[in-house]
Amino acid sequence: MKSERFEESLILSRQALGSAVILKDNNLIALNYNTIAANFDELGEFEKALFYYKKAIIYANKTTNSHLKNWLYNNLGNIHCFNKKEYNKGIYYYKKSLAYSTKIGDSSEIFLTKFNITWAYFDIRKFDLGLPYLNYINKYQEKNSDKSTLVILNMLNGMYQSHINNSKKATFYFEKAIKLGQEDKDKTDLSYAHQEYSFFLFKIKKFKKAYENLNAYNKITNELKNEEKLKKLNVLGINLEIDEYKREIDHIKTEYKTSHQLLLEKQSKNRLISIAIISALLLVIVFSYLYFQNIQLKQKNKLKEIESKIQENIITASVNGQEMERKRIASFLHDNISALLSSAALHLTVFSSKNDTNSEEITKTKSILIQTHYKIRDLSHQLLPSLLARFGLFYALNDLCESNSNSSIHFDYSTNVNNETRYNEEYEMKMYFIVSELLNNIIKHSKANKAKINLKEIDSHLHISVKDNGIGFEINNYQTIEGFGLNQIKARINTMGGKFRIISSTNNGTTIKIIAPIEYKT
């Protein structure tokens, strides 16, 4: 490229770019794009140069190479300022370049970038903005300048002195710039010096000398244009290849993009697999936790069920014990105490007859014995109704409903079972006291004036329905009460293998339904 063999340079940089892409080395990719851009810059293909400089920046920004970023941003500034005349953009890129050269502490690069910024500001006649940069390059020019930069440095000093109307110093700097340019034989820098000197001479109305410098500028510029045309003629054979080359570079980019995309897809696939595995593990953990929680819940429920059954058995045993005690006491009162009282009364009657005496004491004693006999008999019947013992459950329940009906409440009794039907004695006793307790609850708590008791025998099960038109209650609120309450009744029915159901709500009465397997007489 430096020896102006651009065709060979482009071919080699294209091959180098391909290798850099295969290596996936962003630093090398950026360097090769910069070389390609620089070739097009030298060929005067500034749009193409700009395109590849910007591609180089993309890859350079993926690296930590601040020197490369400084270089590229400086080249972008040159394109915008000197070729496209877009000074604001050019200065923006120069300042980005300056930030990187300052970061790496490269004094020569800092000098070069500030040199370019000064020139850009002076070109658009913003001398006050460019002055701090001019002062810097004047201070460090001995250390960093070469013959080429000295030409432009003197030209810039001449421009500033012209701006502040110091004609003597301005003339000194411009003529020194032209002399150095002629010695260095750099036509480009010399042409700029002649142009700016002509502007100054016109300003101070030295028209003849101004014309001479303008003529020199035009002559050098034409020579440069001819050299550029010759340069382009030398590469005319590759002009068509340049576009093809651009397509090949784009193809390399596409291949890189494809391989990069495949890598990304592979990474994405691996990520998805990882997410799936992690999700599966999380699901296993969650389900395991739920499974063990479920087992614990089942165990708790089982324990509660066992506790409930134990409680029911305790209640049943307690009530059964009470009923057996009732039966035993009733039997004892009826068969022993009542019989003894009857016998005592009989003996007193015989004694009175034989002795032909009717003393007041004997008469009162006989009266007391008879009253005691009736009271014990009534107590015996309360403990164990004689109808239940003699005639069975249905006679006893019918009598219970009649005896409890009064002007405040009426109990309606019905059944599809023959009144003479008999069950196991203990079973009848259980059912009798359960219904008796339900009737007592209606009388005490329901405030009802009507109640219905219905009994049916269906498939060896006794169906009992007790319904009232009272105030009712919220089922969820009923609690275990002292004595023989609803929970105790439910416990007894459960231990018998039956079903117990309450239907009630506030101000809608209460219905209790019981289904109990029948225990027939053996």
Side-chain angles (χ1 to χ4, degrees):
M1 186 185 73
K2 288 181 179 178
S3 61
E4 300 183 357
R5 291 155 60 195
F6 303 112
E7 180 180 8
E8 290 178 61
S9 178
L10 283 169
I11 291 167
L12 289 168
S13 56
R14 179 176 61 190
Q15 292 171 354
L17 178 63
S19 299
V21 168
I22 291 167
L23 291 169
K24 298 176 184 175
D25 188 321
N26 291 322
N27 192 64
L28 290 175
I29 293 169
L31 282 167
N32 280 288
Y33 272 130
N34 181 61
T35 305
I36 293 163
N39 272 287
F40 283 120
D41 201 348
E42 290 292 335
L43 288 167
E45 297 280 353
F46 302 120
E47 289 299 331
K48 289 178 181 176
L50 189 63
F51 175 79
Y52 287 109
Y53 277 136
K54 286 183 175 179
K55 288 184 78 64
I57 284 290
I58 291 169
Y59 289 95
N61 283 334
K62 296 178 182 180
T63 72
T64 57
N65 192 340
S66 295
H67 179 78
L68 176 60
K69 293 172 191 176
N70 160 66
W71 188 11
L72 286 165
Y73 280 119
N74 190 73
N75 290 341
L76 280 170
N78 289 339
I79 291 278
H80 282 288
C81 284
F82 300 112
N83 302 117
K84 295 173 72 66
K85 302 300 179 183
E86 295 173 349
Y87 289 97
N88 288 333
K89 281 188 178 180
I91 291 168
Y92 166 77
Y93 286 121
Y94 281 145
K95 287 184 176 179
K96 286 193 73 109
S97 172
L98 181 60
Y100 284 110
S101 58
T102 304
K103 182 180 178 180
I104 58 177
D106 189 324
S107 59
S108 62
E109 291 293 339
I110 292 170
F111 178 86
L112 178 63
T113 308
K114 289 193 174 185
F115 184 92
N116 287 334
I117 293 172
T118 307
W119 194 352
Y121 275 130
F122 281 17
D123 243 9
I124 55 177
R125 300 311 187 245
K126 291 185 177 180
F127 295 102
D128 292 339
L129 293 176
L131 181 60
Y133 298 99
L134 178 64
N135 291 336
Y136 180 90
I137 59 177
N138 280 330
K139 185 177 180 181
Y140 295 102
Q141 59 89 16
E142 287 185 11
K143 184 179 178 182
N144 297 287
S145 290
D146 55 21
K147 289 181 180 181
S148 177
T149 54
L150 280 173
V151 174
I152 300 300
L153 178 58
N154 279 280
M155 181 195 77
L156 293 173
N157 278 298
M159 290 171 73
Y160 182 73
Q161 294 303 321
S162 171
H163 168 66
I164 61 173
N165 298 315
N166 191 333
S167 300
K168 186 176 180 180
K169 282 191 176 182
T171 301
F172 169 78
Y173 282 120
F174 279 128
E175 288 183 353
K176 188 177 180 181
I178 290 168
K179 182 182 177 182
L180 289 169
Q182 289 169 343
E183 290 174 0
D184 188 44
K185 296 181 181 180
D186 188 320
K187 292 180 181 180
T188 303
D189 293 339
L190 181 59
S191 71
Y192 288 133
H194 278 299
Q195 184 186 36
E196 292 296 336
Y197 191 28
S198 71
F199 292 156
F200 165 68
L201 292 168
F202 273 111
K203 179 182 174 183
I204 61 173
K205 298 182 179 181
K206 291 186 178 182
F207 300 112
K208 183 180 179 182
K209 201 169 183 179
Y211 176 77
E212 288 172 358
N213 277 275
L214 185 61
N215 192 43
Y217 164 75
N218 288 331
K219 182 182 176 184
I220 295 169
T221 301
N222 287 331
E223 287 175 2
L224 287 170
K225 285 180 179 178
N226 289 331
E227 287 176 7
E228 188 175 336
K229 286 179 183 178
L230 182 62
K231 189 188 294 183
K232 285 191 175 182
L233 284 172
N234 289 334
V235 293
L236 188 61
I238 65 162
N239 276 347
L240 292 175
E241 291 184 24
I242 286 171
D243 288 333
E244 178 63 28
Y245 173 77
K246 184 176 182 296
R247 284 193 291 273
E248 286 193 33
I249 293 294
D250 290 340
H251 178 65
I252 290 171
K253 173 194 167 189
T254 304
E255 284 185 349
Y256 173 72
K257 207 170 188 178
T258 304
S259 61
H260 186 62
Q261 193 171 357
L262 286 171
L263 179 62
L264 288 175
E265 286 175 1
K266 188 176 179 182
Q267 289 174 343
S268 178
K269 188 177 179 181
N270 290 338
R271 202 160 37 240
L272 286 172
I273 291 169
S274 300
I275 290 168
I277 291 169
I278 292 167
S279 299
L281 286 171
L282 285 172
L283 284 172
V284 168
I285 292 167
V286 169
F287 282 123
S288 297
Y289 173 77
L290 291 174
Y291 174 74
F292 287 115
Q293 284 290 100
N294 189 43
I295 288 174
Q296 285 184 340
L297 186 62
K298 284 181 178 178
Q299 287 175 341
K300 285 181 181 178
N301 289 337
K302 195 171 181 180
L303 283 171
K304 283 183 179 179
E305 190 178 338
I306 292 168
E307 286 174 2
S308 179
K309 284 183 178 179
I310 290 169
Q311 189 68 26
E312 287 175 359
N313 288 334
I314 291 168
I315 291 168
T316 303
S318 175
V319 175
N320 286 342
Q322 289 175 20
E323 288 176 357
M324 291 301 294
E325 189 65 16
R326 278 170 175 253
K327 184 180 177 183
R328 190 182 68 78
I329 293 169
S331 179
F332 177 77
L333 290 173
H334 184 271
D335 296 341
N336 293 287
I337 304 301
S338 183
L340 288 171
L341 289 170
S342 296
S343 179
L346 181 61
H347 285 299
L348 279 173
T349 301
V350 173
F351 175 79
S352 296
S353 297
K354 283 183 178 182
N355 293 289
D356 192 19
T357 180
N358 276 319
S359 67
E360 187 179 347
E361 287 78 7
I362 291 174
T363 301
K364 285 184 178 180
T365 302
K366 283 172 64 178
S367 176
I368 291 168
L369 287 172
I370 291 168
Q371 287 177 19
T372 305
H373 167 73
Y374 286 132
K375 285 183 180 181
I376 289 173
R377 186 189 64 181
D378 291 342
L379 178 59
S380 174
H381 288 171
Q382 286 178 9
L383 291 170
L384 183 65
S386 59
L387 282 175
L388 179 64
R390 291 180 183 181
F391 302 107
L393 177 65
F394 300 100
Y395 273 113
L397 289 178
N398 190 11
D399 180 69
L400 183 66
C401 288
E402 287 181 3
S403 61
N404 280 289
S405 295
N406 53 46
S407 58
S408 299
I409 185 168
H410 176 72
F411 289 97
D412 181 22
Y413 172 82
S414 63
T415 180
N416 70 346
V417 184
N418 191 314
N419 281 343
E420 295 178 0
T421 303
R422 298 301 303 267
Y423 301 137
N424 180 283
E425 185 180 352
E426 288 185 6
Y427 179 80
E428 287 184 341
M429 198 186 314
K430 289 176 185 175
M431 292 300 105
Y432 177 84
F433 286 117
I434 285 171
V435 175
S436 177
E437 181 62 26
L438 294 175
L439 266 57
N440 284 335
N441 285 341
I442 293 171
I443 294 166
K444 289 178 183 178
H445 308 296
S446 72
K447 297 184 181 179
N449 56 24
K450 287 183 182 179
K452 292 182 180 180
I453 294 88
N454 179 262
L455 288 87
K456 294 179 183 178
E457 188 176 317
I458 304 172
D459 297 329
S460 299
H461 283 74
L462 185 62
H463 291 246
I464 302 172
S465 173
V466 179
K467 182 177 181 181
D468 67 63
N469 65 348
I471 59 174
F473 60 93
E474 291 300 324
I475 297 170
N476 294 331
N477 295 333
Y478 89 84
Q479 302 291 331
T480 301
I481 59 174
E482 291 295 324
F484 194 20
L486 294 177
N487 282 314
Q488 284 87 341
I489 294 172
K490 184 179 178 181
R492 295 204 73 192
I493 297 299
N494 286 341
T495 56
M496 292 169 69
K499 295 179 181 177
F500 180 86
R501 185 184 175 199
I502 302 172
I503 304 166
S504 185
S505 61
T506 306
N507 299 321
N508 288 310
T510 303
T511 300
I512 294 176
K513 294 186 176 183
I514 296 169
I515 301 174
I518 297 169
E519 297 176 16
Y520 293 101
K521 290 181 76 173
T522 55

